[in-house]
Amino acid sequence: MPTLFIWLLGLVFAVVILTFIFDISQSKNAILRNYPVVGHFRYLFSTLGEFFRQYFFAMDREEMPFNRAERQWVNRASENKSNTIAFGSTKNINTPGTAIFINCPFPTLDSDAVETKTVIIGEGYSSNPYAAKSIFNISGMSFGAISKLAVLALSNGARMAGCWMNTGEGGISPYHLEGGADLVFQIGTAKYGVRNDDGSLSDEKLANIATRGQVKMFELKVSQGAKPGKGGILPGIKVTKQISEIRGIPKGEDSISPNRHVEVSNASELLDMINHVREVTQKPVGFKTVIGHIRWLEALLEEVNKRGKDSAPDFITVDGGDGGTGAAPMALMDSMGLPLKEALPLVVDKIMQCGLEDRIKVVASGKMITPSDVAWAICAGADFVTSARGFMFAIGCIQSLKCNKNTCPTGITTHNKRLQKGLNPKSKSIKVKNYINNITKTVGIIAHSCGVKEVRGLNRTHVRIVQINGKSIPMDELCPVCPTGESNESI
């Protein structure tokens, strides 16, 4: 035993000596050259900092992009546990931008409440309109960006809860279909799954996808919240043989999508593409976008009125600049695109000003993971809300921020078989169902507290927004809906 100890001590000493020699000899890192050996601790502590902040130092409401209180709400909801709390809220309601719902002195009795109305997308304008029952649905997460087990858990959970699941831009996989959920097929700028060899849109493949009964709608991805103006990024380490076949791209190579659809350079051409896809698929078609300038959307809606309402997109998904992704340049993620709380009312108002509110449905996306988020979006004018990261939390995500490294410790965003072992799609699908059910149930409680019988009765009169002076203003005063033809927005 003493001999082993001496041997290990000598080994440690040898490693220190070799590290010292290497550090003072290299010229790439000034810290290590000036502080050999001990300089490595700086990088170790920096790496461990994420862990210590998350579990020991950060308060419940401090972390970004989602704090502990939000994550714990999702975790409890997904496990169908009570989400009641004691003593008092830890949320600072004086923070500018905070939504405060207006309670009614005579709230709706449970016995008077009614089920949330089903909204039909594409009714009267598509051969196969979609009757969407759930106000809360799964946003785009591609197979490739997330694992097959994650896709299975989400698709099965969505089927059980009766909501739709967006495929993301990575095409449709066997696991989307196996789960049995209603699917929204997203067409990204690289046309994964419906592309010709030259990257152009294949009508034949598009029509073939449309024959699948589970595929209810198609969504053109114009831009994404975390990276507007930048195409999708899938590291080569995640491009397996199966993913390369589904997407139609080379195995093992980084897959970087064009930063826009090459066929679309203006609002008129976007309408042309929407109508082309609808003609080929005979199903509702919309688009997803991040809002910066609003004029282009105004031009698109004016073009719709010139051509006729049948030319309109069946829905518009508004993604906030606070949306997420697996990999994006920090400059875009931090500083590009309007946040959803500013963008959503703008889009809703523009649609109403053009008299198209009965034709175009609005989907809100971007950092919407709790009931108050969803209720705010409905108040602002959204018909539906979608979330991606909320569902990642529901199936086990711990916000380790490793999505782009194929080292996700929960098996959600990795294709490493060892790491995927902890993700049981059967049990996780139950958590997905529970999460959806508890979101919709709690949004209903908010609606009843505001005095309306069902969620779709919520509007801007039911919520106030806290201003910089700590006082709140009714949302209908802060963002008044203008009569048709008028506008408060000059962007």
Side-chain angles (χ1 to χ4, degrees):
M1 196 69 176
T3 303
L4 178 62
F5 175 77
I6 293 171
W7 186 84
L8 289 174
L9 189 63
L11 180 62
V12 171
F13 184 75
V15 169
V16 170
I17 293 296
L18 290 172
T19 302
F20 179 88
I21 294 171
F22 174 81
D23 287 348
I24 63 172
S25 302
Q26 58 85 36
S27 58
K28 292 183 178 180
N29 191 306
I31 294 293
L32 297 182
R33 189 178 180 88
N34 292 336
Y35 302 95
V37 182
V38 295
H40 288 276
F41 286 96
R42 176 187 184 277
Y43 302 102
L44 174 64
F45 293 149
S46 178
T47 301
L48 293 176
E50 288 180 6
F51 170 82
F52 284 107
R53 285 191 296 273
Q54 185 178 68
Y55 294 104
F56 297 104
F57 302 129
M59 299 294 287
D60 283 352
R61 301 282 182 173
E62 286 183 343
E63 290 179 273
M64 293 291 283
F66 296 95
N67 61 51
R68 187 183 294 117
E70 293 169 326
R71 299 197 310 272
Q72 286 181 342
W73 191 94
V74 175
N75 289 337
R76 289 193 297 266
S78 66
E79 293 175 2
N80 221 18
K81 293 180 178 179
S82 172
N83 250 315
T84 58
I85 59 174
F87 203 72
S89 174
T90 60
K91 183 177 181 178
N92 182 3
I93 61 173
N94 294 318
T95 303
T98 300
I100 300 175
F101 297 97
I102 308 304
N103 60 293
C104 177
F106 310 106
T108 300
L109 293 172
D110 291 342
S111 58
D112 293 333
V114 297
E115 286 190 14
T116 301
K117 183 176 66 175
T118 296
V119 171
I120 303 177
I121 304 174
E123 185 176 22
Y125 298 94
S126 170
S127 301
N128 298 280
Y130 176 45
K133 298 179 181 179
S134 178
I135 60 168
F136 190 60
N137 302 278
I138 303 177
S139 188
M141 290 179 279
S142 302
F143 171 57
I146 61 175
S147 66
K148 72 175 185 180
L149 299 180
V151 173
L152 279 171
L154 293 168
S155 56
N156 273 287
R159 172 184 52 79
M160 289 187 284
C163 82
W164 81 61
M165 178 182 181
N166 191 305
T167 64
E169 64 180 312
I172 194 167
S173 73
Y175 316 112
H176 288 105
L177 299 170
E178 184 178 334
D182 289 350
L183 300 175
V184 177
F185 186 93
Q186 188 180 84
I187 304 173
T189 57
K191 317 293 193 298
Y192 293 133
V194 289
R195 58 185 272 141
N196 294 309
D197 291 339
D198 62 358
S200 61
L201 184 65
S202 168
D203 287 356
E204 181 182 353
K205 292 178 180 178
L206 189 62
N208 184 55
I209 292 290
T211 61
R212 299 184 182 275
Q214 283 178 241
V215 178
K216 303 298 184 181
M217 301 193 294
F218 289 81
E219 178 184 77
L220 291 172
K221 189 169 91 167
V222 175
S223 55
Q224 181 178 342
K227 49 189 175 186
K230 177 72 176 175
I233 303 170
L234 184 66
I237 194 171
K238 288 188 173 184
V239 184
T240 63
K241 181 176 184 292
Q242 184 182 34
I243 290 167
S244 72
E245 291 172 352
I246 290 172
R247 296 195 179 202
I249 55 176
K251 175 187 174 184
E253 296 183 13
D254 290 349
S255 180
I256 302 176
S257 305
N259 63 339
R260 69 170 173 84
H261 290 279
V262 294
E263 308 92 331
V264 178
S265 60
N266 55 53
S268 180
E269 290 177 353
L270 177 56
L271 278 184
D272 291 341
M273 189 170 184
I274 288 168
N275 282 280
H276 176 75
V277 173
R278 186 161 47 218
E279 182 179 348
V280 172
T281 64
Q282 296 296 300
K283 292 187 176 180
V285 180
F287 67 91
K288 177 178 184 177
T289 189
V290 182
I291 298 299
H293 285 294
I294 201 72
R295 286 177 184 164
W296 73 271
L297 182 61
E298 192 172 49
L300 181 140
L301 298 174
E302 290 173 353
E303 181 70 14
V304 166
N305 281 330
K306 289 179 183 177
R307 298 187 185 191
K309 288 187 177 181
D310 58 337
S311 69
D314 296 295
F315 64 93
I316 297 175
T317 302
V318 186
D319 200 9
D322 38 5
T325 188
M330 183 174 175
L332 296 186
M333 195 177 284
D334 285 352
S335 309
M336 188 69 71
L338 293 180
L340 186 66
K341 287 195 173 181
E342 184 174 355
L344 180 59
L346 286 177
V347 173
V348 171
D349 289 354
K350 286 298 177 187
I351 291 172
M352 294 184 73
Q353 288 156 21
C354 292
L356 295 168
E357 64 271 22
D358 293 331
R359 171 69 179 98
I360 303 173
K361 307 308 177 189
V362 178
V363 183
S365 177
K367 218 175 181 184
M368 304 274 103
I369 73 167
T370 64
S372 58
D373 297 328
V374 176
W376 170 86
I378 300 298
C379 285
D383 296 288
F384 305 96
V385 175
T386 61
S387 176
R389 289 172 290 178
F391 285 96
M392 290 175 68
F393 289 135
I395 62 175
C397 172
I398 60 172
Q399 195 170 277
S400 63
L401 309 180
K402 308 294 183 186
C403 307
N404 59 331
K405 298 178 180 178
N406 204 38
T407 58
C408 171
T410 60
I412 297 172
T413 64
T414 180
H415 299 293
N416 184 310
K417 300 293 185 183
R418 181 182 67 82
L419 295 172
Q420 287 183 1
K421 286 182 179 178
L423 203 167
N424 183 329
K426 187 174 181 180
S427 63
K428 298 296 186 184
S429 64
I430 301 296
K431 291 189 172 186
V432 171
K433 180 194 73 169
N434 290 340
Y435 176 48
I436 297 167
N437 289 344
N438 280 302
I439 279 273
T440 53
K441 176 183 176 181
T442 311
V443 175
I445 292 173
I446 292 174
H448 303 157
S449 297
C450 290
V452 297
K453 291 186 176 182
E454 64 113 341
V455 171
R456 296 195 182 282
L458 290 171
N459 57 53
R460 296 181 192 182
T461 66
H462 294 118
V463 64
R464 297 174 69 96
I465 308 299
V466 176
Q467 302 303 293
I468 196 167
N469 62 1
K471 295 183 178 181
S472 64
I473 296 177
M475 192 178 182
D476 61 324
E477 293 181 17
L478 186 65
C479 303
V481 177
C482 300
T484 302
E486 296 184 15
S487 175
N488 278 333
E489 180 53 53
S490 59
I491 294 178

